[in-house]
Amino acid sequence: MTVLIVEDERTLARELGIFLHQHSFTCTVARTAHEARAQLADTPFDFVLLDLGLPDGDGLDVLAEAKQNELTAAVIILTARGAVEDRIGGLELGADDYLAKPFSLPELLARMHAITRRRFGLHKPLASCGAFKLDLQARRVLHQGQEVSLSVKEFDVLSYLVLHKNRVMTRLQLTEHIWGNLPEAGFDSNYIDAHIKNLRKKLGQLADVEWLETVRGLGYRARL
């Protein structure tokens, strides 16, 4: 998943980026309200971690504008402004959660996982896909209790399709949400096709994977 970190404190922004990268998030940093607006207009992020005290404006104004522009990303406000009225203001504008600084990085991650479960209606720790179970927090795929060996990107592609089950996800959508706006060097859009092929091969050795559909001319769908 992709994350926009809106934070003007360079050290904190770097720590957040490193921590979330270690948990397989693709992060982009915006250090001003202007940069945040530009990023939000250009890229469909999954999460926005939003500081309020930005050097050129108030993060709440960025949030209000983004919501008016139909922002779909989950928003967590991270700020030193921990007064009740600030928290209420942020939540009323559409933020999904609020953490006052200083905060624990593992707690932030746990809240991101909780938001993901709520947004995708996951009521159990494991998500089902055919004969397989996905443990989104531990980033594992299980078949009859045994872990199936997948690469990082194979898991990312599979989990994104399962979270958006029964919806056609285009190659562009998958690319943006897994590689972000700045794909790694040498990126080729055919990588999505290659990962789907590998998933079918690895999972198909264990059980039926007809639910992993190709939608001709569009992309892929997990029909579950």
Side-chain angles (χ1 to χ4, degrees):
M1 289 189 174
T2 52
V3 181
L4 176 62
I5 301 170
V6 185
E7 174 60 65
D8 64 322
E9 295 180 32
R10 291 179 179 273
T11 301
L12 178 55
R14 184 171 181 275
E15 289 177 354
L16 282 167
I18 292 172
F19 176 78
L20 292 174
H21 177 73
Q22 291 171 342
H23 291 83
S24 300
F25 289 92
T26 300
C27 299
T28 300
V29 175
R31 294 192 171 85
T32 66
H34 175 74
E35 290 180 9
R37 291 185 176 100
Q39 288 290 342
L40 291 170
D42 190 48
T43 304
F45 293 96
D46 297 298
F47 279 95
V48 177
L49 306 182
L50 179 64
D51 184 23
L52 299 186
L54 299 171
D56 59 343
D58 192 319
L60 290 179
D61 293 334
V62 175
L63 175 59
E65 293 172 25
K67 286 296 182 181
Q68 287 179 351
N69 293 324
E70 300 184 353
L71 175 73
T72 58
V75 178
I76 302 178
I77 293 175
L78 307 175
T79 181
R81 288 160 46 180
V84 172
E85 55 267 29
D86 289 323
R87 294 199 296 271
I88 292 174
L91 295 171
E92 292 288 359
L93 283 173
D96 296 84
D97 206 345
Y98 194 111
L99 263 179
K101 296 178 182 176
F103 55 85
S104 155
L105 291 175
E107 181 182 359
L108 170 63
L109 180 64
R111 290 177 183 247
M112 293 172 73
H113 286 155
I115 289 172
T116 299
R117 290 195 298 272
R118 288 201 301 270
R119 288 170 72 88
F120 293 101
L122 300 176
H123 305 296
K124 299 178 181 178
L126 303 180
S128 298
C129 52
F132 302 90
K133 301 287 186 185
L134 263 70
D135 185 337
L136 295 169
Q137 290 184 220
R139 295 181 55 81
R140 298 188 305 161
V141 176
L142 303 173
H143 177 259
Q144 296 181 351
Q146 299 297 312
E147 183 172 354
V148 181
S149 178
L150 298 181
S151 71
V152 171
K153 293 304 182 189
E154 287 165 359
F155 182 88
D156 288 341
V157 171
L158 178 62
S159 60
Y160 206 77
L161 287 169
V162 171
L163 285 174
H164 296 84
K165 62 184 180 181
N166 301 319
R167 291 176 52 190
V168 177
M169 304 304 294
T170 67
R171 290 175 177 80
L172 177 59
Q173 287 174 310
L174 287 165
T175 299
E176 287 177 335
H177 286 280
I178 293 169
W179 278 270
N181 197 34
L182 296 172
E184 58 201 39
F187 177 83
D188 186 317
S189 61
N190 290 328
Y191 284 179
I192 295 293
D193 301 325
H195 287 314
I196 292 290
K197 181 180 179 181
N198 289 338
L199 282 168
R200 285 180 171 140
K201 181 178 181 180
K202 291 181 178 181
L203 301 180
Q205 291 174 344
L206 301 169
D208 170 65
V209 289
E210 287 189 2
W211 49 268
L212 184 52
E213 296 181 334
T214 300
V215 180
R216 188 178 298 278
L218 292 176
Y220 296 96
R221 172 173 55 201
R223 182 168 52 80
L224 299 168

